[in-house]
């Protein structure tokens, strides 16, 4: 059995004993603190409205969307929209830039791989081979 | 208000009008149904314990972890562990294979890009330039 190569960098497990037997004790690959951070990040976007908002930003031809473009299509009030954008900004997934009257939103560089993977994720089909 | 267009497969926005002005109306890049699915998928792993479990599986040298290796390091009872693994399996992120006495868990192929991106995600630093 080979290293499947997914996820190398930040996940060192104990290579010495993890393959030794069925019941070698693996060390946790993530500290509890880091796991909390990752879970918080995932929770911030694990909301249908926020998923649609980041998808709209990701799909924008110039990589950014004016807030004036978001209220109508999503049927959101400005306060509700602002709340969702604030959650995404606080999580580091979305950046906001004020230009004149309007605020523009783009995905942060750091967020793009995660959001791209989430938005293109395959979903479990009933009865598939899992 | 326009038909939000429960649009198409991945992320095409309207290239013709989205750049035309500040306030061209973008169509939603994801249908509400697909957004629900993505949000559900993200929620399934947006839990610190489940983040640690998928990280441990991702880091395993042979890409799978025996359930017998997971209870001890994570300080989980077998029922609690089983609950978390069930959530991950139902979401299509983790596959389970029974071999003799033990169940072995691996990440599904479909889940790897998402989990790799999540586990390596950069996290917002206080006061950074977002």
């Amino acid at each position: 059995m080979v290293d499947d190569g997914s996820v190398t960098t930040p996940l060192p497990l104990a290579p010495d004993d993890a393959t030794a037997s069925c019941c070698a004790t693996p060390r946790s690959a993530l500290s509890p603190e880091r796991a909390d951070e990752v879970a918080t990040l995932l929770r911030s976007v694990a909301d249908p409205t926020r998923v649609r908002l980041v998808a709209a930003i990701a799909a924008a031809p110039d990589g950014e969307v004016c807030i004036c473009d978001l209220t109508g299509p999503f049927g959101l009030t400005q306060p509700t929209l602002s709340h969702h954008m604030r959650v995404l900004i606080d999580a580091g997934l979305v950046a906001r830039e004020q230009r004149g009257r309007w605020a523009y939103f783009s995905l942060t560089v750091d967020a793009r791989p995660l959001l791209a993977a989430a938005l293109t994720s395959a979903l479990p089909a009933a009865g598939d081979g899992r």
Side-chain angles (χ1 to χ4, degrees), chain A residues 90-104:
Chain A
D90 287 348
L93 296 170
V94 165
R96 178 188 189 281
E97 185 183 345
Q98 186 76 33
R99 293 209 296 274
R101 178 178 173 190
W102 301 112
Y104 292 78

Side-chain angles (χ1 to χ4, degrees), chain A residues 57-71:
Chain A
I57 299 171
D62 51 3
E64 65 177 11
V65 172
C66 176
I67 194 165
C68 56
D69 293 337
L70 291 172
T71 46

Side-chain angles (χ1 to χ4, degrees), chain A residues 111-122:
Chain A
R112 280 178 208 153
L114 172 63
L115 297 175
L119 295 172
T120 59
S121 58

Side-chain angles (χ1 to χ4, degrees), chain A residues 14-129:
Chain A
D16 45 330
D17 65 0
T19 55
S21 75
C22 140
C23 295
T25 301
R27 299 178 200 142
S28 171
L30 284 192
S31 69
E33 295 72 25
R34 171 71 178 147
D36 281 346
E37 292 172 337
V38 172
T40 299
L41 183 72
L42 291 169
R43 267 199 306 277
S44 73
V45 74
D47 169 274
T49 299
R50 291 198 285 278
V51 167
R52 296 186 78 205
L53 289 171
V54 298
I57 299 171
D62 51 3
E64 65 177 11
V65 172
C66 176
I67 194 165
C68 56
D69 293 337
L70 291 172
T71 46
F74 290 93
L76 299 175
T77 63
Q78 184 95 11
T80 300
L81 182 60
S82 293
H83 160 72
H84 286 300
M85 297 313 273
R86 170 53 52 196
V87 173
L88 293 167
I89 290 167
D90 287 348
L93 296 170
V94 165
R96 178 188 189 281
E97 185 183 345
Q98 186 76 33
R99 293 209 296 274
R101 178 178 173 190
W102 301 112
Y104 292 78
F105 298 95
S106 57
L107 303 186
T108 61
V109 171
D110 291 339
R112 280 178 208 153
L114 172 63
L115 297 175
L119 295 172
T120 59
S121 58
L123 297 163
D128 69 7

Side-chain angles (χ1 to χ4, degrees), chain A residues 2-23:
Chain A
V2 299
D3 177 3
D4 72 0
S6 56
V7 191
T8 37
T9 344
L11 311 174
L13 251 202
D16 45 330
D17 65 0
T19 55
S21 75
C22 140
C23 295

